[in-house]
């Protein structure tokens, strides 16, 4: 996709399976909206081949449009209509709409069925947006940042809703800036940065996450010194920061370190109350994949991690986490 001389999206190759929840991630300006709007048939691409539900969205007809649902980042409430009336209005555009009651229950808005749409809270309004996208009983749903502005419990409810859609067999194309959301919901994630795909995989394997070292940290128990610690721990531990009593270890086989450490503490009746064991989060991996894009690293031959060949700039950066 070119805007004048500027190539916003370049040579990306993506394939979404029917029935999967696919998360499309990337920093601001990466090219997500551009790509999604091309897939939705709202933006005319400059080049390339696109097929969505077997048709080119650039030449799609009304029947094709009735098979997809779209939830945009922002929407305007319908004036002077209740929630039910909004849904009834939209249902009229589709050949085989879903039931209004069922749709409201699916998005957790049943108790607001008679409320004016213009009087809904931000989170409820977002649920109505989703309901309006689902009323046509789509096979494919585009969800653009569905939980922005939600409180934590509303986000959980929205996640349950998306999980429910997956159970119904709806394919979900999700864009989000929340890594916990992608982790919780997505079968597969793809990261785009500066118009190119920098990584693709399941949330657990993106950027080689499954092969990264586990981080173990704990505070040196009072009354003990570094030299008291088991040799295996001493060899691998470094202070977590300057002037702190906390030690940090990285290990690809954490039990080899944790075993002697726990044994050592138990033998001395010591507790390790702030012992932490964690794998790099999806956010850690995402930040490593996308952060240095500004310095041009993403232009150095970024490829999908599923393809063979030289590692992309993003993959090399993710490697640094290991
Ligand atoms: P965000 O997370 O901020 O929504 P995004 O990944 O969706 O970002 P896009 O909106 O696809 O990013 O924009 C990709 C690039 O294309 C940006 O550099 C943007 O400035 C540029 N761009 C988008 N639309 C146009 C347009 N109509 N004309 C010119 N440039 C555009």
């Amino acid at each position: 996709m070119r805007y004048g001389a500027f190539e916003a999206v370049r040579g990306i190759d993506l394939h979404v399976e029917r029935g999967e929840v696919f998360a499309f991630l990337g920093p601001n300006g990466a090219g997500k909206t551009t790509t999604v709007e091309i897939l939705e048939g709202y933006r005319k691409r400059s080049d390339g081949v696109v097929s969505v539900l077997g048709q080119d969205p650039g030449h799609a007809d009304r029947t094709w449009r009735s098979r997809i649902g779209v939830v945009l980042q922002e929407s305007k409430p319908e004036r002077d209509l209740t929630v039910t009336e909004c849904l009834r209005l939209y249902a009229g555009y589709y050949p085989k709409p879903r039931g209004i009651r069922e749709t409201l229950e699916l998005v957790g808005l049943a108790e607001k069925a008679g409320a004016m749409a213009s009087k809904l809270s931000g989170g409820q309004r977002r649920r109505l947006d989703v309901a309006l996208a689902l009323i046509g009983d789509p096979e494919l749903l585009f969800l653009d940042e569905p939980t922005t502005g939600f409180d934590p419990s509303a986000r959980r409810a929205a996640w349950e809703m998306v999980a429910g859609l997956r159970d119904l067999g709806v394919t979900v194309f999700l864009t989000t800036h929340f890594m916990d959301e992608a982790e919780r919901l997505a079968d597969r994630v793809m990261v785009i940065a500066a118009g190119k795909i920098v990584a693709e995989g399941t949330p657990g394997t993106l950027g080689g996450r499954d092969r990264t070292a586990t981080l173990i940290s704990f505070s040196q128990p009072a009354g003990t010194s570094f030299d008291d610690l088991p040799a295996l721990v001493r060899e691998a531990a470094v202070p977590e920061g300057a002037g702190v009593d906390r030690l940090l270890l990285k290990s690809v086989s954490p039990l080899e370190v944790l075993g002697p450490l726990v044994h050592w503490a138990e033998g001395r009746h010591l507790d390790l109350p702030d012992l932490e064991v964690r794998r790099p989060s999806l956010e850690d991996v995402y930040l490593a994949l996308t952060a240095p894009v500004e310095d041009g690293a993403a232009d150095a031959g970024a490829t999908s991690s599923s393809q063979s060949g030289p590692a992309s700039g993003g993959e090399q950066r993710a490697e640094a986490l290991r």
Side-chain angles (χ1 to χ4, degrees), residues 3 6 8-9 26-35 43 73 145 177 192:
Y3 297 112
F6 175 61
V9 175
N28 292 138
K32 299 181 298 298
T33 305
T34 300
T35 305
R43 197 170 289 244
Q73 262 176 41
E145 299 186 24
H177 287 297
I192 183 170

Side-chain angles (χ1 to χ4, degrees), residues 15-155:
H15 183 89
V16 179
E17 294 291 334
R18 209 173 260 272
E20 78 177 346
V21 177
F22 179 87
F24 200 40
L25 313 174
N28 292 138
K32 299 181 298 298
T33 305
T34 300
T35 305
V36 170
E37 288 185 355
I38 289 170
L39 300 178
E40 292 167 345
Y42 287 125
R43 197 170 289 244
K44 199 171 173 311
R45 64 185 184 271
S46 333
D47 212 337
V49 179
V50 183
S51 173
V52 176
L53 298 177
Q55 276 197 41
D56 181 342
H59 306 286
D61 54 18
R62 205 176 151 154
T63 311
W64 179 85
R65 192 148 290 288
S66 74
R67 295 169 64 201
I68 68 165
V70 175
V71 183
L72 301 172
Q73 262 176 41
E74 280 176 28
S75 64
K76 281 210 179 85
E78 307 290 337
R79 289 171 67 107
D80 305 324
L81 290 187
T82 65
V83 166
T84 299
E85 286 164 348
C86 288
L87 284 167
R88 194 171 296 133
L89 175 71
Y90 276 62
Y93 297 132
Y94 295 95
K96 281 192 212 126
R98 191 190 293 276
I100 289 176
R101 186 82 208 167
E102 180 198 340
T103 307
L104 285 175
E105 274 165 11
L106 198 56
V107 301
L109 207 58
E111 80 275 20
K112 289 286 171 188
M116 298 303 291
S118 53
K119 297 274 159 46
L120 297 178
S121 75
Q124 290 163 348
R125 173 69 218 169
R126 210 79 191 101
R127 289 179 196 212
L128 176 57
D129 292 338
V130 178
L132 294 173
L134 288 175
I135 192 72
D137 196 14
E139 293 163 56
L140 167 64
L141 182 70
F142 289 98
L143 274 177
D144 197 359
E145 299 186 24
T147 63
T148 299
F150 278 26
D151 67 38
S153 65
R155 290 186 69 213

